[in-house]
Structures are given as structure tokens and as C-alpha cells.
Amino acid sequence: MSAASSSTSASTTSKPARDLRALIDLTLTTQTLISHFQSSLSTPEPTNPPTKTSSSTTSTATSTSNSTPANSSNVSTTAPPQPNPLDTIRTTTTLLKSHTTTLSLLLLTPPLAATAISKKIGDVSAGVLSGMVAAASAPKSPHGDADLGEIMRAELRAGARRVLVAWNDVLSCVRLVAEKAEAGEVGVEKDSQHILSATGVVWESCDALLTLCNLGVVGLVVRKAEEWRGVLLDAVQELKEWGEDVQGDEDEEEDGGFRSGGENDDDDDIFGAANKLGKGDEELKALLDRSVKRLKMVGVLYAALVKRRLKPFPFPFQDGMATLDHLMSLLKSIPESVDDLASAFYDLDSQEAKALLKKCCDDAARAAEMVRIGWEGGEDEFTVWSGKWRDAMAVS
């Protein structure tokens, strides 16, 4: 065989190997890219722009205005509307499901089509994932167009991170199959279950993100408020049941007034109920009864807010988004405070319990007052109802 023939043969037989090596390298660089994507989604967005930047922007705008020719009034300075991030995420997520299905079929069908798989990975990384991450990590629009609010933006970032984790697992499957093919191993029977499982997780995470997009801002805040109300009422019920389990003389008789020091005492401390309410502790019992009554009324407020303020929210509504964000922040914090309140009762700490009950009720009152007037600026049924609720809370 001539040297030229030998060279041609070597070149021909090495192309599949080069394609496999290129595919392996691509999976590694793409996984690095996904790590950067995840970091961008994990970075909390600033709630307020720095003062210096604002001043600089104002100064620049003023300077530009002063140097603008008189006939420039015909030039529009209105910023173009920004694309709705939900639309972008909905589109990219749908595409990702399709691409992942195709990639899965390519991996499961011998012989391994390294070039086609590499192209598919490139399409996903450059177009689909980059678009999804850009939309999910987009900060609050400075122009207010299609502002999604803090809760939706946080949910989108979390959903996109789950998609990235799932897609990273698919890339691991690709690399594993490619490395085995490079080593001369034939067939992917042993890896097929992992491939199918990874593909299924991508589908699940994409479906969850699509559900969020279809739910929309109003649907999401309603669902969150109802979840927090459920947590609140569960905690109140637990408090009520704890108060009914009063420590009496029979508790002292059971152990003779002291612990035996048995081997199960540690388990009792960990898994048993917290301190019982003393039979003669009338002050703490009265505080508990008052707390349960007032917190049930807070639960009623949640239901009213869902019906009269959250469900009718006129999204998109630029002027109302800040109020909605603040309202949801309060509704989220109240059940958290109730958990702390319960802990104070279990510790028999009446002073801490009083302080936390006041915080819960004050936050609820602020939430009601914040949206006392309807989104359209007029009084309505909730305006009247909230006044009666506030009066009832004051005397409870």
C-alpha cells in the first residue's frame, strides 16, 4: 500500500473518532455554560437601583435634553415595549421538550450519530436555554411593561434552574455514551434506562415551568395566598389542640413528680409534645384563647383578600405591581410569625407570645389597609368589609 493510500485510509477511519471527541468536548463546555446560567439565575436582583446610577442617569438625561435641537420634538423617545418574559419562556420550554425527545432518540438509536447530536446540543444551548435564562433572569422592567412582580420572577428563576439541572443530567448521559463509543463499546442497552429517566425529568421540569407560565401572575399570587392561609390555619389548629392538652395532677402522679431517668427519656424529649400548658396558668390560657380567635380572623382576611383583591387584579397593571408585591410579602410573613408564636407558647414564654401576636395582627391590619381602596381607585365591598374587620379585631 502506498503512503498516500495509507494516509487516506487513516484519515477516513479517524473521522468518527474525531466526531466523538468533539462531542465529548462539547458536553463538557456546555456543562460549564450551564453552571454560568445557574449562577445568573441564583443572583438576587437588586430591589432598588443605586442612587449614584440614578443621579448619573438623570444628569445624562438633562444634559441630552439641553443639547437637543428645537425641532427634535417630532422624534419619539418612548422606549419600545419589552417582550413578555412568560411568552419567551413558554416558547423556549416547548422547544426544549421537542429537542430533548429528538436527542433521546438519537442516543438510543445505533450507530451513534455524533455530529447530529452535537448540532442538537448546540441548538439547545445557543438558542433555547440562553433565551429561557435571559427571560427568567430579567430584572424588573424599568418601563413597567408586563412587570411580573417579585413572586413570579422568583418562581421563574427557580423553575428555570430545575430545567438546567435536568438538562445537565441529559448531557451527562450523552458524554457517557460517547465515551463508551470512543472506547469501542457497542450498544447502549445498559444506559437506555438512564437516558429515558433523564429525558423524563426534563419533561417534568418543562411541564412545571409551562404550568407556571399558563397560571400567570394572578393565578400564582392567588395560589400562594391560599397556600399561606392553609399554613396559617394549620398552625392555629395545632395551637388550639396544644391548649386543650392541659397538664394536670395525673401527669405528676404518673412519674411521682420526677423523671425516672429511663433510657427512653431522650426520645420523649425529641419526639414528644412540647411543654404542656399548666392547669393553673390562667393568664397564658387566656392569651392562647385570644391568639387563636384573632388568628382565625386573620385567616378570614386572607380569604377576603383572595376574593376581592387578588383574583380581580387587572394584570398588567404597572401602578399596582409595587402594592401587590408588598401585599404578598406581608401575607407570606404572617404564617412565619405564627410559627414563631407557636414556639413561644410551647416554651411557655408569654411575653414573647404577646409580642409575636401583636406583630401578626399589625401585619394583617397593614395588609388590609394597603388595599382598602380597589385597584381602580374607588371604594367597594371590601372597603366596607375591611373596616368592620378592623373594628372586630380591635375588640377581640
Side-chain angles (χ1 to χ4, degrees), residues 124-137:
V124 170
S125 301
V128 177
L129 290 184
S130 60
M132 178 189 296
V133 170
S137 60

Side-chain angles (χ1 to χ4, degrees), residues 271-288:
F271 298 107
N275 296 330
K276 292 184 179 180
L277 181 63
K279 184 176 181 181
D281 198 340
E282 298 297 334
E283 180 180 354
L284 191 61
K285 181 64 167 64
L287 177 60
L288 176 63

Side-chain angles (χ1 to χ4, degrees), residues 7-320:
S7 175
T8 301
S9 176
S11 175
T12 301
T13 57
S14 65
K15 184 179 187 305
R18 290 200 306 270
D19 290 342
L20 285 171
R21 176 43 50 185
L23 175 58
I24 294 169
D25 292 342
L26 177 62
T27 60
L28 293 171
T29 56
T30 304
Q31 287 182 314
T32 300
L33 176 64
I34 286 179
S35 296
H36 290 307
F37 281 158
Q38 290 173 320
S39 296
S40 68
L41 290 169
S42 300
T43 304
E45 58 181 279
T47 54
N48 295 302
T51 304
K52 182 176 180 181
T53 302
S54 300
S55 301
S56 175
T57 303
T58 303
S59 174
T60 302
T62 303
S63 174
T64 304
S65 175
N66 291 339
S67 61
T68 301
N71 60 1
S72 65
S73 59
N74 294 328
V75 179
S76 173
T77 59
T78 303
Q82 301 298 310
N84 188 333
L86 295 182
D87 292 338
T88 301
I89 292 175
R90 189 181 291 109
T91 299
T92 54
T93 301
T94 302
L95 283 172
L96 181 61
K97 289 181 65 177
S98 176
H99 284 315
T100 303
T101 301
T102 302
L103 184 59
S104 178
L105 292 173
L106 288 172
L107 287 173
L108 294 170
T109 305
L112 190 66
T115 302
I117 293 174
S118 293
K119 183 179 184 307
K120 186 62 62 177
I121 292 175
D123 291 341
V124 170
S125 301
V128 177
L129 290 184
S130 60
M132 178 189 296
V133 170
S137 60
K140 178 179 178 180
S141 170
H143 309 295
D145 39 326
D147 181 18
L148 302 179
E150 293 179 2
I151 287 183
M152 176 58 85
R153 291 196 298 272
E155 289 288 320
L156 289 175
R157 290 195 298 271
R161 284 198 298 270
R162 286 191 290 271
V163 169
L164 291 175
V165 170
W167 178 248
N168 192 66
D169 196 21
V170 170
L171 289 173
S172 295
C173 291
V174 174
R175 190 175 78 243
L176 177 64
V177 172
E179 287 174 345
K180 287 185 176 182
E182 187 181 43
E185 298 183 30
V186 181
V188 294
E189 291 81 3
K190 295 181 180 179
D191 305 310
S192 60
Q193 190 57 45
H194 189 188
I195 294 169
L196 292 173
S197 176
T199 302
V201 174
V202 171
W203 269 65
E204 290 174 4
S205 60
C206 287
D207 286 342
L209 200 48
L210 287 171
T211 297
L212 180 62
C213 292
N214 294 332
L215 192 62
V217 171
V218 173
L220 177 62
V221 297
V222 167
R223 187 177 71 180
K224 286 290 186 182
E226 290 175 340
E227 289 175 356
W228 296 331
R229 178 175 182 266
V231 173
L232 167 66
L233 294 181
D234 286 346
V236 172
Q237 182 61 28
E238 289 179 7
L239 263 179
K240 182 175 180 295
E241 293 173 357
W242 174 80
E244 293 169 350
D245 186 18
V246 178
Q247 181 179 13
D249 295 337
E250 65 278 5
D251 297 311
E252 297 179 1
E253 293 173 357
E254 287 177 2
D255 59 9
F258 61 89
R259 286 191 177 273
S260 62
E263 62 181 8
N264 293 326
D265 283 356
D266 289 339
D267 292 342
D268 291 339
D269 291 340
I270 295 173
F271 298 107
N275 296 330
K276 292 184 179 180
L277 181 63
K279 184 176 181 181
D281 198 340
E282 298 297 334
E283 180 180 354
L284 191 61
K285 181 64 167 64
L287 177 60
L288 176 63
D289 291 343
R290 186 165 70 253
S291 298
V292 169
K293 181 179 180 181
R294 301 191 83 187
L295 291 175
K296 284 183 177 179
M297 293 178 64
V298 173
V300 173
L301 173 64
Y302 272 68
L305 287 170
V306 166
K307 181 178 180 180
R308 300 295 182 183
R309 287 295 179 260
L310 298 183
K311 287 184 177 179
F313 185 79
F315 181 83
F317 181 33
Q318 176 183 352
D319 295 337

